[in-house]
Amino acid sequence: MGSLQVFLDRFGPSSQAESGWLQNLFTFVHQHLSPCAGGPAHCAAVDQSAAGEPICGPAHSINQSASGASCDQGVCELSVCVVEKIQEQSCLSSSRPVSYRPLSVSELLSQQHLACVSNLSWSTNQHRAWAGEAELSLPGQRALPRVSLLLIGWLREGRGGEWRLADGSGSVRCELTCPSPLWMNRLVFLPHWNYIPHDASGRDQERGHLELIGSPELLRPRAEQGLAAGPGGAGLDGALSVREAAGVLRNRVRGQRVSVVGQVGSVRPLLEVAGSSFFFFCLVEDEQTVPVLVKDSNLWWSQCVCVGLRVCVTALRVCVLRGWRGNNVLCVTDRSQIHTGYTQHHTHTLKQTLEHTLSGTTHSQPHTHSEESEPPPPSPDDHLQMDQEEAEPEEDPVQSGVRIKRSRVISYQGTVTEVVSEGAGLYVLDRKVGLCLAYQPPGRRKLRPGDQVELHHVHFLYRPCPDLPPSMLCCCLGSSLRVTAFSRVGGASCDRSCPGDGVLPRLLLQNNRGVDQYLWTCHLASQLAHSLVPAGPHHPPLPQCVCLLSWKLSETLWTPRGPGPRDIYSEMLDQPHSCPLDQYQVDPCVPQLLSVSELLQSLSSLLPPGGSGLSRSQVNSALSWSCRTLTSDPGTGDGLRPRPLLLVGVLQLPSERSEFRQTLQLRDATAAVGCVATETREDGGQRAAFNTAWIGSLVCVRRFAMVTERFLQSEFPSCQHLDQDRFISHRSGRVYLQFSLDHLVILCPSVTMVTHLRMKGAEPGSDEEESSAMKKRRPDEAVSSSVTMTTLPEGGASLPCVTMVIKVESKGGVAWRNTGMGRDGEAGLELGFSATALLIGPVVSWGRDPRNEPMMEREAGPEREEKVLLVFSGVAARWFPVLQPSSVYRLTALNTQDPSVLIGSSVPGQRGAELHSDSSLQVRSDWRFHTLTRPLLLLHTWTQTPPPPVLTVSQVLDCRSEVVSFQGRISERVGLMARKGRAGHAHTGRHAHSGRHAHSGRHTQVHTHTCPGETGSELYNHAGVLRYPGVFVQVFV
């Protein structure tokens, strides 16, 4: 090829390596940058030719009829220009950078899968110093690795105002700090750039982007277009000042075109409304402000205009902005151009201003300024005001009230040091100042740790959320954010706080809420991610449902306080400025969400009160059992934390490994804790919870008490020896929660809970208060449908089954029983209990599991009194918490059509089943119980049989029966003296619970007895029955 030889001859004798490098460079230019190669580059060249811009030299016309010789000569001249620019930027003065190779855009996108940096002017030592400085400033982050690649192409306009680097193989998005408008549509060589093959959260979006960390090198000079006055005074010669342009806005002349010169006072974010994209920037001069509307093909200006920059905009017309109460604005036209830095005086002044700002020691401190004016450098008075507010004394969270405060509009320069939640738009600047971008539309580029940013007209809030940094900066539609220097480190780790698609900001846009509420909701989402989603590398990114749950929960707990729909034009253009961030609420008592493991770790010591006058027996008796109750709300008693607490988890039956079997469990991804749950009776009193529909429901516990019991066997000589553990022979304890179902918020109902709520809402005769309570519990359908966290298996709905409706009459306690079959098939002890139930009807076969659907006619048998003894052991003993006397249940045996599996003594079976004489029924581990809250109201014996009488304490004392049921409030717990047996025998401790009748004042005592010799034996009474939790002083039993 003759042109290649001519090209090589231009650089004289070269080594073999340099000669090969030059040939590769010439080939690259010919394939990807030559107009003869066709493709996107050819189209770009044709467009530039039509605009009067030469690409391959002023003597060469770019069109399809160009001769091959002319094209080769253009490629040769362009290749020479590229080599000269590379040589100028290279750190090697005596040789060519043969280690660098040109790379096309398509090769960059397809081959470069890791974030990297390329800087032609660096030496190896300079890069090491650069990387060390980056990693030192951001501990835990790795600096971008260096690559030796050369990028050459045209800077073109992309969709939505983005800049793109294009060559003959494709294009890639470019991010620039403050580009010159003269770079657009120019052929450039990039000596300094970063490449991020994905967004900051690690997900592949739009195949990555370039970050220009230095100015590009223009490969061909372009004849500058003249700025002579055009029609209507649209050139620089007829440019108006901002004050004169304000007069033009007030006196609109149809068809008039004006040019305006002034300083950029503010830049509004780019918006897309009804398929149309636009943005505003304001030119200021003294007290005058002129808004300029930019749209259509000029959206790429959004990266060129910066606050404080002096610009001239030509060919503007006056238009009426109907969305802004009919006010006039200046609008760009197809002939409009923007010019920056066109006077030497301004260039010198701007350089001095930037050097003063960036070199100041307090560059990262906020400073106030007048609205729509050039932000002055930070002043000592502003810093003093900031320091005084940061030093605001702490207040008692319980005693202080809610305050409404006004934000301040400031400007700020700082470095992103942490990505709190990319999806929620939360970051940390300079390790101490929070940043919220949720009130702005999301940008194309996500911020990364190490980015240096410049904020103008941003709202400063102090302590809007106790879980986030005290100082918060929040951007509204009137704020501007510009990255002044790109990060030197790679992308952030995958964010588990909120999905990167911005679920919470979208909800904020649909339902305008206060900024303090939004910030708390974001923190709640991160807490739910920790407590509900198991951690580990094999688990997928955080699902959207966690953000939806946090939003739903915040709506339930917070009163709606938004200012109504946002007026975007008023928020961007009104003076004085007004937006939803003007006011915020400071509430030090905002609820705090804890995981179950965090709750259990917050246990305080149960040291008993000492007393110098106590004898040895009194000390050991007082230590044998101790109990402490802490509430979730510090305003109602001894609180666990200074702020009210919330718990979120799944209610489930106790597992086989549970500490005790008598209660439900609240479980999340971190741990499980036992729960003593009660519900309100029709008469307003409390009773034990019995509805199985709660099992498998994801709930939030708004109010609860945590009970900690400790059991101790000790032989302390006196109270002076309490710090010596050698006198303690055995110690144990248990922790459980107490709450009412009225204090639960259903976040995701189980299948049976959905049925229960539907029937409850349709129940005739339900009063208005109960209906409203159920409506409050009813979750949002979108939320419930997206959550699949259910610990109890809900499968089997389509499997055949047999069922039987029963009414529980009595229930024994959980105790060790000799069932005759241990874990390995041998005889052994297992925990279990028994319950006596009245049979409502026959065994019924189903094609699918009816669960807790309303009772059918065929499930009710004729009048009779037939009972069965249900025996629960092993895994089946987990049903103890929900089986309560006088309640009706449907017993289900899945995956069978044989009625005999549920037939005991005197139980008639349909379809010719034989009768058995055995009056007991062993409950299997895979059987299920479902509460029927609306049984079929037929006049049968079981509907008329009164429940066994529950006596008062006074009636018990006057009663002659051997077995009684009674109720009362525990007034005292008496520890009896431990009695010594023979040598080598274990000690036996006895305890008495004293009950008082509320009206008569009479007392009775119920004695329990510990069974020594087994771990945890103090949890059982003298009959080997597990003690029910929650039995202590002032409890009504």
Side-chain angles (χ1 to χ4, degrees):
M1 182 183 296
S3 58
L4 174 59
Q5 189 61 44
V6 173
F7 169 71
L8 296 176
D9 293 342
R10 292 282 296 269
F11 298 97
S14 302
S15 64
Q16 183 178 359
E18 290 184 347
S19 178
W21 182 79
L22 290 172
Q23 292 182 31
N24 292 337
L25 187 61
F26 181 88
T27 303
F28 174 83
V29 172
H30 183 271
Q31 291 179 350
H32 299 287
L33 303 179
S34 168
C36 304
H42 175 64
C43 298
V46 172
D47 293 342
Q48 293 183 15
S49 176
E53 177 186 350
I55 298 300
C56 296
H60 300 278
S61 174
I62 304 178
N63 50 58
Q64 294 187 4
S65 62
S67 63
S70 301
C71 186
D72 289 346
Q73 184 179 357
V75 170
C76 179
E77 293 184 0
L78 180 57
S79 300
V80 171
C81 181
V82 170
V83 173
E84 291 175 350
K85 292 296 183 180
I86 292 175
Q87 196 70 39
E88 291 176 4
Q89 294 291 329
S90 174
C91 61
L92 304 176
S93 57
S94 59
S95 61
R96 296 181 178 87
V98 295
S99 60
Y100 279 81
R101 66 181 181 90
L103 192 71
S104 67
V105 172
S106 62
E107 292 174 330
L108 177 70
L109 296 176
S110 61
Q111 299 177 11
Q112 188 62 38
H113 303 297
L114 298 178
C116 59
V117 59
S118 177
N119 197 321
L120 185 61
S121 62
W122 284 347
S123 64
T124 302
N125 291 335
Q126 286 176 322
H127 172 71
R128 290 175 180 174
W130 176 89
E133 183 180 345
E135 295 177 356
L136 184 63
S137 61
L138 293 171
Q141 299 283 350
R142 300 285 296 177
L144 292 172
R146 185 183 182 184
V147 295
S148 301
L149 299 174
L150 302 175
L151 291 179
I152 308 171
W154 286 271
L155 287 177
R156 307 287 288 174
E157 176 191 358
R159 297 190 308 267
E162 64 184 19
W163 289 55
R164 302 190 71 87
L165 180 73
D167 62 9
S169 64
S171 64
V172 63
R173 179 166 59 92
C174 290
E175 296 293 336
L176 307 94
T177 54
C178 190
S180 169
L182 302 177
W183 299 349
M184 181 57 70
N185 296 324
R186 298 295 300 275
L187 184 62
V188 297
F189 158 63
L190 306 182
H192 321 289
W193 49 269
N194 299 334
Y195 176 65
I196 309 299
H198 47 69
D199 65 349
S201 63
R203 290 177 292 276
D204 191 15
Q205 293 183 353
E206 297 185 4
R207 300 191 303 172
H209 65 273
L210 286 173
E211 297 172 347
L212 272 62
I213 56 178
S215 298
E217 291 292 329
L218 305 182
L219 294 180
R220 285 297 184 185
R222 177 173 63 178
E224 302 299 333
Q225 297 183 0
L227 295 177
L236 181 59
D237 295 342
L240 305 178
S241 65
V242 175
R243 183 179 299 275
E244 294 171 331
V248 172
L249 285 180
R250 290 189 295 267
N251 303 282
R252 179 188 179 193
V253 178
R254 184 176 299 273
Q256 183 181 16
R257 300 294 184 266
V258 297
S259 298
V260 181
V261 59
Q263 191 176 61
V264 178
S266 60
V267 182
R268 310 312 188 193
L270 194 149
L271 299 178
E272 182 177 352
V273 178
S276 177
S277 299
F278 61 92
F279 76 95
F280 288 92
F281 68 91
C282 295
L283 299 178
V284 297
E285 179 183 339
D286 298 331
E287 299 298 326
Q288 294 291 332
T289 302
V290 173
V292 179
L293 171 63
V294 183
K295 59 180 182 177
D296 299 332
S297 61
N298 296 314
L299 291 177
W300 58 271
W301 291 8
S302 59
Q303 297 193 50
C304 298
V305 289
C306 309
V307 174
L309 189 65
R310 192 170 180 84
V311 300
C312 176
V313 188
T314 65
L316 296 172
R317 66 184 180 92
V318 180
C319 62
V320 178
L321 189 59
R322 296 177 181 177
W324 188 34
R325 298 185 296 273
N327 292 328
N328 294 339
V329 297
L330 293 177
C331 182
V332 299
T333 62
D334 294 338
R335 299 181 55 190
S336 296
Q337 295 180 354
I338 186 170
H339 304 273
T340 60
Y342 53 89
T343 62
Q344 183 178 2
H345 170 72
H346 167 68
T347 303
H348 179 70
T349 305
L350 178 61
K351 181 178 179 181
Q352 287 184 335
T353 303
L354 291 178
E355 290 178 351
H356 173 74
T357 303
L358 297 177
S359 62
T361 57
T362 57
H363 70 281
S364 62
Q365 295 292 330
H367 57 275
T368 59
H369 60 82
S370 301
E371 187 74 23
E372 305 295 343
S373 62
E374 180 183 2
S379 65
D381 293 338
D382 294 326
H383 292 159
L384 179 61
Q385 184 177 4
M386 180 70 179
D387 294 338
Q388 288 176 348
E389 187 157 15
E390 287 187 348
E392 183 177 344
E394 289 282 349
E395 300 180 3
D396 185 2
V398 180
Q399 300 297 329
S400 61
V402 178
R403 292 183 298 166
I404 303 297
K405 301 180 67 175
R406 293 193 63 86
S407 62
R408 293 190 294 123
V409 178
I410 65 172
S411 291
Y412 190 90
Q413 246 185 353
T415 303
V416 178
T417 53
E418 180 184 353
V419 178
V420 179
S421 175
E422 176 192 306
L426 295 181
Y427 305 86
V428 174
L429 304 178
D430 304 324
R431 296 187 176 87
K432 60 181 179 180
V433 180
L435 175 63
C436 175
L437 304 179
Y439 286 80
Q440 279 193 346
R444 289 183 300 268
R445 180 188 179 274
K446 305 299 183 181
L447 295 179
R448 305 202 314 273
D451 283 338
Q452 296 181 21
V453 296
E454 183 179 276
L455 300 163
H456 291 282
H457 303 93
V458 63
H459 291 261
F460 172 72
L461 296 76
Y462 192 68
R463 298 188 186 276
C465 178
D467 301 303
L468 295 176
S471 300
M472 289 293 301
L473 300 176
C474 298
C475 294
C476 66
L477 294 181
S479 308
S480 64
L481 181 147
R482 183 173 69 93
V483 178
T484 58
F486 295 114
S487 173
R488 302 180 182 182
V489 299
S493 59
C494 185
D495 180 19
R496 290 176 54 86
S497 304
C498 184
D501 55 4
V503 175
L504 291 178
R506 289 205 306 271
L507 291 172
L508 178 65
L509 181 63
Q510 299 169 6
N511 309 277
N512 191 21
R513 308 191 69 189
V515 60
D516 50 292
Q517 297 179 356
Y518 176 78
L519 295 177
W520 184 82
T521 304
C522 294
H523 179 74
L524 181 64
S526 65
Q527 293 297 100
L528 288 176
H530 168 69
S531 62
L532 297 184
V533 181
H538 301 293
H539 290 281
L542 180 65
Q544 295 184 5
C545 62
V546 175
C547 294
L548 295 174
L549 285 176
S550 65
W551 189 270
K552 177 63 180 178
L553 185 56
S554 65
E555 284 184 332
T556 305
L557 301 178
W558 291 76
T559 302
R561 198 170 30 82
R566 296 172 66 179
D567 187 338
I568 60 174
Y569 297 106
S570 297
E571 188 173 329
M572 289 188 290
L573 302 174
D574 269 356
Q575 291 183 352
H577 176 69
S578 176
C579 75
L581 300 177
D582 287 338
Q583 290 186 348
Y584 62 100
Q585 180 175 289
V586 177
D587 184 4
C589 294
V590 63
Q592 179 182 5
L593 178 70
L594 290 183
S595 65
V596 175
S597 61
E598 290 173 333
L599 178 71
L600 298 179
Q601 293 171 3
S602 63
L603 298 177
S604 58
S605 175
L606 282 179
L607 293 177
S612 56
L614 295 179
S615 64
R616 172 178 178 176
S617 61
Q618 290 174 329
V619 168
N620 292 286
S621 177
L623 291 175
S624 63
W625 177 85
S626 57
C627 175
R628 186 176 183 183
T629 302
L630 299 176
T631 64
S632 61
D633 189 353
T636 59
D638 293 337
L640 285 161
R641 298 285 180 93
R643 291 161 50 191
L645 297 181
L646 301 174
L647 286 177
V648 172
V650 176
L651 285 176
Q652 60 179 201
L653 295 173
S655 64
E656 193 174 0
R657 300 179 180 179
S658 176
E659 182 181 2
F660 42 87
R661 304 291 183 85
Q662 309 98 314
T663 65
L664 293 173
Q665 283 188 335
L666 183 73
R667 176 178 293 276
D668 62 10
T670 62
V673 63
C675 304
V676 179
T678 62
E679 59 184 356
T680 304
R681 296 196 304 259
E682 290 76 5
D683 58 0
Q686 293 289 314
R687 65 182 176 190
F690 70 96
N691 200 324
T692 57
W694 289 96
I695 300 173
S697 296
L698 181 66
V699 299
C700 172
V701 188
R702 299 183 57 180
R703 187 179 301 174
F704 62 90
M706 187 176 74
V707 181
T708 306
E709 293 185 70
R710 187 184 67 176
F711 305 91
L712 201 66
Q713 293 182 7
S714 62
E715 291 290 342
F716 288 106
S718 65
C719 59
Q720 283 77 24
H721 299 78
L722 295 180
D723 57 344
Q724 302 180 25
D725 292 343
R726 60 189 179 92
F727 294 106
I728 300 176
S729 58
H730 178 72
R731 73 174 75 192
S732 64
R734 61 183 180 182
V735 180
Y736 51 91
L737 305 180
Q738 291 180 325
F739 55 79
S740 172
L741 297 182
D742 299 330
H743 297 149
L744 298 187
V745 177
I746 301 175
L747 300 179
C748 174
S750 63
V751 177
T752 52
M753 177 57 72
V754 172
T755 303
H756 172 68
L757 293 177
R758 184 178 65 249
M759 292 190 301
K760 196 72 175 178
E763 182 176 355
S766 59
D767 55 18
E768 182 179 355
E769 180 180 356
E770 185 175 5
S771 298
S772 62
M774 297 310 299
K775 289 180 181 178
K776 181 178 180 182
R777 288 181 181 179
R778 187 180 302 274
D780 185 82
E781 294 182 359
V783 176
S784 63
S785 63
S786 61
V787 180
T788 58
M789 183 177 179
T790 304
T791 55
L792 186 69
E794 289 291 352
S798 60
L799 296 178
C801 63
V802 291
T803 66
M804 179 175 61
V805 178
I806 62 173
K807 180 182 180 181
V808 176
E809 288 193 339
S810 63
K811 180 180 66 170
V814 178
W816 290 104
R817 301 177 184 271
N818 189 354
T819 60
M821 47 182 181
R823 295 181 183 272
D824 300 328
E826 301 178 356
L829 295 177
E830 279 191 320
L831 283 174
F833 72 99
S834 61
T836 302
L838 181 66
L839 301 179
I840 303 304
V843 178
V844 179
S845 299
W846 301 80
R848 64 173 186 85
D849 187 1
R851 302 184 191 272
N852 61 333
E853 292 289 343
M855 186 176 172
M856 306 292 290
E857 285 278 358
R858 59 175 178 161
E859 294 183 271
E863 294 189 31
R864 67 184 188 279
E865 292 211 18
E866 298 177 354
K867 299 181 180 179
V868 63
L869 180 65
L870 301 176
V871 180
F872 301 81
S873 60
V875 178
R878 61 180 183 159
W879 292 102
F880 181 87
V882 293
L883 295 181
Q884 302 297 338
S886 302
S887 299
V888 180
Y889 301 90
R890 177 182 282 128
L891 174 59
T892 304
L894 290 174
N895 203 22
T896 182
Q897 289 281 292
D898 183 9
S900 63
V901 298
L902 295 181
I903 295 178
S905 175
S906 303
V907 181
Q910 290 184 346
R911 300 179 183 176
E914 297 181 0
L915 303 182
H916 297 266
S917 59
D918 191 1
S919 60
S920 65
L921 184 63
Q922 182 73 38
V923 178
R924 301 180 185 178
S925 59
D926 59 341
W927 291 1
R928 299 178 184 174
F929 289 82
H930 295 287
T931 304
L932 299 181
T933 56
R934 296 180 59 193
L936 196 62
L937 299 180
L938 300 177
L939 297 179
H940 293 294
T941 304
W942 61 269
T943 62
Q944 298 176 351
T945 303
V950 179
L951 307 179
T952 63
V953 174
S954 297
Q955 292 172 336
V956 171
L957 296 178
D958 298 334
C959 182
R960 296 180 179 272
S961 301
E962 295 182 358
V963 179
V964 296
S965 299
F966 70 97
Q967 62 183 0
R969 187 178 300 277
I970 298 178
S971 60
E972 185 180 6
R973 188 180 191 277
V974 181
L976 304 181
M977 287 287 295
R979 295 180 297 179
K980 287 188 177 181
R982 294 175 300 175
H985 284 224
H987 295 289
T988 301
R990 296 193 177 188
H991 302 277
H993 298 276
S994 177
R996 174 190 295 270
H997 183 228
H999 300 288
S1000 65
R1002 303 179 68 179
H1003 294 71
T1004 187
Q1005 286 190 342
V1006 180
H1007 291 266
T1008 60
H1009 181 87
T1010 62
C1011 297
E1014 295 185 27
T1015 303
S1017 61
E1018 52 280 317
L1019 302 181
Y1020 302 87
N1021 65 9
H1022 67 283
V1025 179
L1026 269 73
R1027 286 204 193 122
Y1028 199 84
V1031 181
F1032 45 86
V1033 178
Q1034 298 302 320
V1035 172
F1036 192 84
V1037 296

